[in-house]
Every structure is written in structure tokens, then in C-alpha cells.
Amino acid sequence: MVVKRALAIITLLIIGYWLAQGLAGVPFGEDKMLVGQYYLDNVKQQTGAVNAVTAVVVNYRGFDTLGEVTVLFIASTGVGALLWRRKKERTAKTEGSIVLTTGTRLLFPFVMLFGAYIFIHGHLTPGGGFPGGATIATAFLLLYLAFITYEIPHRGFEVTEGLAGMNYVAVGLIGLAIGGYFLFDWIWQTWQFGWDNVGRLLSGGFIPIIYTIIGIKVGTELSGIIDNMLKEEVSK
Amino acid sequence: MNALTVIGEVLVLLGTFFYFLSALGLIRMPDVYNRMQTSTKSATLGSLGVIVGVGIWALGTDFGSAAWLTKTIIIAVFLLLTNPISAHALIRAAYKSGIPLWEGSIIDKYREHLEAKAKDEEVPEEIEETGEGGKE
């Protein structure tokens, strides 16, 4: 046991030293931007977003985001497939105290509102679809934890999840039809919608639209994962 | 202008002082319940001071605007509403999972209440008088 632990510590130290040696060649605090400078210089007129991160994630490297959404979808489907049982019910025994249930009832709409705020304002403020969607899933997690019988409306959630994913691809395909490549920002580049509006809500090309889709998708997906994991098989 | 800055600075200072007190209470107090008592209360109050203080402080500076104060007040209200609920849930979970009170504690009304309730349920339905008596 002791030998095992000592060996593990020594191995980790060696790996850590090796990584530190590799990082020692990178100068700290110096400007090493190659592509980054291009993004910072052109993000406003090319995408209309003030938040450079979301512009890169949705616009310049939209394929990555599509891949991430796919990964989440596969995770949700995988959990659903792994925990698939014919009869599953929630088996929570004790309801939360009245303070908890009342607090949850009061907080739920505010958490939902804040989640929607995050993903709608992805092109202006930090955040975007993934944090907003996770916040919305947190609201549903609150309901699950406070009430013993709560269940998300399954049919609606699963259909919404699929529709949101399809809409993302559809937005990309419209870009393909209009601009010549997948995920082309047709709202900004072709329609020139919001050109005089940079920095306000109605700007940013298709970033708010994509992020609304992603937020809804991530929110429903994570809620579905929570739902699957909280349920147990019942022997009735 | 400057009065706002001073008020903000004082509020932030007070808030950090309460943060310190709450950390001190976490070390100093003997059991879970006392620790929760000191830490959650003073941490909530300290956060309110720091958060609203920053908003007022920003009003006094030349880069600040009313948006700062609005945001900080929203955050403060959210924290004020959620912190006690989480503390309540934590303490209740601690009690339910059987963490003992400090050995210096004298009275535990909640256990008496729980025991009375359990006794109530044990008593068969025919003898209602004793069941009622057990409750009181």
C-alpha cells in the first residue's frame, strides 16, 4: 500500500516536472497572438458581436460548437440507453422541508429567467448557450431535489431537444444555401441586420439565435440526464 | 461624489470584517450547528456589505454608473434569499443524518417533537386519548 502510494506520487512528480519543463519555454505575459489578433481586430465588423469568445465559438469555429452539442446529445442518449428500464420511478423518501419547497417554488422562475438572460445575451456578456442551458437545468434539478414526486414533462422535453438540434443544423444549412458554406452567418453578412446596432441586443448576426437554440437544447438535455439518473427500478 | 466612495469603502471594509468573523467562527465553534450558525449568518451579512458596497463605491468613481449598483443589488437580494435556505437545508440534513449536538447542549426540542410524533404513530387508533396526550 505504502509502496504503491509512493510510486504513484513519484510518477506524478516526474510527469509534473516534465510538463513544467515543457511550459518553461513559453514566455509569460508576452504577446504571442497569431490568429488571436485577427479575431480581436475583426470581430465587430465581421460578426457584430462584442463578446469575442462567443463570436469565435459560434461564428469562426462553428463546427466545434456543433460537435460539442453532438457530444452532449450523445451523452444524454447514452445515459438514457444505459439506464433504460421498463418501470422506473422516483423513489425519494423524504420531501424537502417546507422552507426548501417554498424557496424552490419562489426561486424557480428567477433561475429560469437568469438562464434565459445568459443565453440570449451571449454576444454581449460572458456566457452563452452552454452556461445558460446549465442554469436552466439547475432550475429543474432544484425542483427534483425539493419535491419527491416532481418529474419533467418527458414528451415535451425530448421533442424540444431534438427540434433544437435540428434547428441548429437548419440555420447552418440556410447559411450553406445563401453564403456558400455551412454555418455562414447569413443574418449578419447577407441581410446586414443590426449593422448600426453593434453592442446592443439586436445585433450579433445569428449568434443570439444559435445560442438560444443551444441554451434550450443543453437545458433540456441536462434535465433529461438528471431525470434518468434520479430514477430507480421499482419491483411492483 | 466622494461621499459615495467613502460609504462604499466603509461597507466593503465592514463586509470583509464579517467575512473574517465567519471564518473565525468556523474554527472556533464546537459543533456543526454552532459553526453553521456563526458562519452562514455573518457570511451572508458580509457578502451583502461587500456587494452593495462595491455598487455604491462604483457610483462615486468616474467610470462607474448606475448599472453597477443595479447589478450588485440584484446579486445581493438573490444571495439574501438563497443563503438562509441553503443553510437551513444543510443543518436539517446534518440533524437527520444523526450528527450529535455539542455535549454542552441542554435542550433538544426537535428530538422530543420527533419522538412524540413517532409515539403517536405507534399508538393504535382505538386509544385516541393517549395518542393525543402524547402529543402535548
Side-chain angles (χ1 to χ4, degrees), chain A residues 165-192:
Chain A
M166 277 161 61
N167 274 328
Y168 189 0
V169 178
V171 169
L173 285 177
I174 293 170
L176 183 68
I178 293 177
Y181 56 92
F182 192 59
L183 289 175
F184 173 78
D185 189 351
W186 40 283
I187 295 177
W188 182 259
Q189 308 268 11
T190 310
W191 291 6
Q192 310 191 339

Side-chain angles (χ1 to χ4, degrees), chain B residues 44-45 48 75-85:
Chain B
T44 311
L45 187 67
L48 289 190
I75 297 170
V77 168
F78 192 74
L79 211 65
L80 186 69
L81 285 176
T82 51
N83 236 348
I85 299 176

Side-chain angles (χ1 to χ4, degrees), chain B residues 17-81:
Chain B
F17 176 64
F18 275 102
Y19 276 151
F20 173 71
L21 285 188
S22 93
L24 192 69
L26 211 58
I27 302 166
R28 174 70 188 78
M29 286 299 162
D31 72 340
V32 178
Y33 307 100
N34 281 313
R35 267 178 239 146
M36 286 294 287
Q37 165 90 349
T38 50
S39 60
T40 52
K41 264 186 197 167
S42 44
T44 311
L45 187 67
S47 313
L48 289 190
V50 168
I51 293 167
V52 177
V54 165
I56 295 173
W57 193 347
L59 279 186
T61 56
D62 47 352
F63 57 87
S65 62
W68 279 76
L69 190 63
T70 324
K71 271 184 202 168
T72 52
I73 284 176
I74 287 172
I75 297 170
V77 168
F78 192 74
L79 211 65
L80 186 69
L81 285 176

Side-chain angles (χ1 to χ4, degrees), chain A residues 95-97 99-100 103 107 111, chain B residues 71 78 81-82 85 88-89 92:
Chain A
E95 182 143 23
S97 63
V99 177
L100 201 63
L107 276 175
V111 178
Chain B
K71 271 184 202 168
F78 192 74
L81 285 176
T82 51
I85 299 176
H88 160 85
R92 201 175 126 91

Side-chain angles (χ1 to χ4, degrees), chain A residues 185-220:
Chain A
D185 189 351
W186 40 283
I187 295 177
W188 182 259
Q189 308 268 11
T190 310
W191 291 6
Q192 310 191 339
F193 178 77
W195 267 37
D196 48 351
N197 232 355
V198 176
R200 303 215 188 127
L201 184 58
L202 294 179
S203 72
F206 70 8
I207 293 177
I209 292 171
I210 294 248
Y211 262 162
T212 307
I213 291 169
I214 293 178
I216 292 169
K217 189 166 165 58
V218 171
T220 48

Side-chain angles (χ1 to χ4, degrees), chain A residues 124-174:
Chain A
L124 304 172
T125 54
F130 292 94
T135 312
I136 283 178
T138 314
F140 286 104
L141 178 64
L142 262 180
L143 287 184
Y144 267 110
L145 293 184
F147 300 97
I148 40 176
T149 50
Y150 179 77
E151 259 191 61
I152 53 169
H154 283 277
R155 180 140 301 184
F157 262 56
E158 277 140 26
V159 170
T160 315
E161 186 184 329
L163 277 181
M166 277 161 61
N167 274 328
Y168 189 0
V169 178
V171 169
L173 285 177
I174 293 170

Side-chain angles (χ1 to χ4, degrees), chain B residues 102-118:
Chain B
W102 179 43
E103 63 266 22
S105 317
I106 301 167
I107 194 164
D108 190 355
K109 283 273 188 191
Y110 188 43
R111 165 161 298 156
E112 285 168 25
H113 168 75
L114 283 181
E115 276 167 3
K117 219 165 119 190

